[in-house]
Amino acid sequence: MDHVVGAVPLAESLDERRQLLDVACRALGSRVAAERVVDEAYRRWYRLTDPERVRMTSPRAWLNQAVDEACLTIPAPPWAAEEEWENRPRPPYGEDAEPVEWARLRARALRARPTAAGRQHEITHAVGQACTDQDAGRLRALLASDATAFFDSGGKIRALTRPVRGDEQVARSLLVLLAGQRRVTLRTGSVNGRTGLVARCDDRVAAVLALDIADSLVLQVWAILNPDKLSSWNGPSRG
């Protein structure tokens, strides 16, 4: 099965951000400043057009250059005050990008024939197992033909920027995201009061997936990849 254009394996995205932070931290001597510089590099990345990103032969090299340039030209944290930083303009990502679309699809799931909690658990577990096994055919069989997947990176890591639609495309995107079983593990867990999927990379929660299921098929997949939104999953006690 061919990959969805722009899809990035979770482990690769996390390694990339970690490496950029190391570069910026060595140059600036401040973890806080490094976080801000790296976030700005990703904002520059997401400001590129889709064709520009697709044509990019080495996104990591481009991001490294963006970080290097920021570190050379900004000896101190680049924002004059914390208030200015908090009030900065934010480009839309994930849920904020298409609130009407999210609401419409959520309403569609609520109108569809409900699936019993036990059956929802079974289907979610089966989706997780198909992803772990990288079994495209089995995964597609669990998805509605017009299934949709959303990927909320918060602009903090590289990920798909637009919703993915159709069982084949959704299956492809999930298999790419969750590839690399030696480092990525996938288990069921409680997500928003229902059974969802929790992906760990190197023993840290790196993604949480909520599934809308009706008529025993997955209608929507909501993948939270934003490290800020996952911070509560990775408290001090979890390393």
Side-chain angles (χ1 to χ4, degrees), residues 32-202:
V32 173
E35 289 272 0
R36 292 175 171 177
V37 165
V38 170
D39 285 351
E40 177 60 25
Y42 278 108
R43 279 191 291 276
R44 286 181 58 190
W45 168 262
Y46 280 109
R47 289 189 198 113
L48 297 174
T49 65
D50 289 343
E52 286 173 331
R53 285 194 295 266
V54 169
R55 289 196 300 267
M56 194 77 64
T57 56
S58 178
R60 185 177 294 200
W62 188 95
L63 287 162
N64 264 294
Q65 182 177 348
V67 168
D68 287 341
E69 290 173 355
C71 290
L72 288 172
T73 57
I74 305 174
W79 294 273
E82 193 67 26
E83 182 178 357
E84 178 184 352
W85 166 254
E86 290 303 326
N87 292 330
R88 72 197 185 282
R90 290 176 170 85
Y93 304 100
E95 183 173 3
D96 295 331
E98 298 188 5
V100 175
E101 179 74 356
W102 280 60
R104 183 181 68 79
L105 290 173
R106 180 69 69 178
R108 172 201 170 199
L110 293 175
R111 288 195 304 268
R113 186 186 309 168
T115 301
R119 181 59 176 152
Q120 287 186 0
H121 179 84
E122 292 176 2
I123 294 170
T124 302
H125 177 77
V127 167
Q129 192 60 55
C131 290
T132 298
D133 295 341
Q134 291 286 291
D135 189 327
R138 183 150 40 105
L139 182 55
R140 285 188 64 184
L142 296 165
L143 303 173
S145 61
D146 57 348
T148 306
F150 296 84
F151 300 87
D152 178 9
S153 72
K156 299 283 186 173
I157 61 173
R158 273 195 305 127
L160 289 167
T161 60
R162 301 180 186 278
V164 176
R165 294 182 171 85
D167 57 343
E168 183 174 1
Q169 292 290 94
V170 170
R172 288 178 180 177
S173 64
L174 291 177
L175 293 181
V176 173
L177 179 71
L178 301 170
Q181 296 92 331
R182 292 184 179 180
R183 294 181 57 193
V184 178
T185 60
L186 196 59
R187 300 286 187 273
T188 56
S190 178
V191 179
N192 296 329
R194 295 183 297 172
T195 302
L197 294 170
V198 179
R200 287 179 170 80
C201 182
D202 300 332

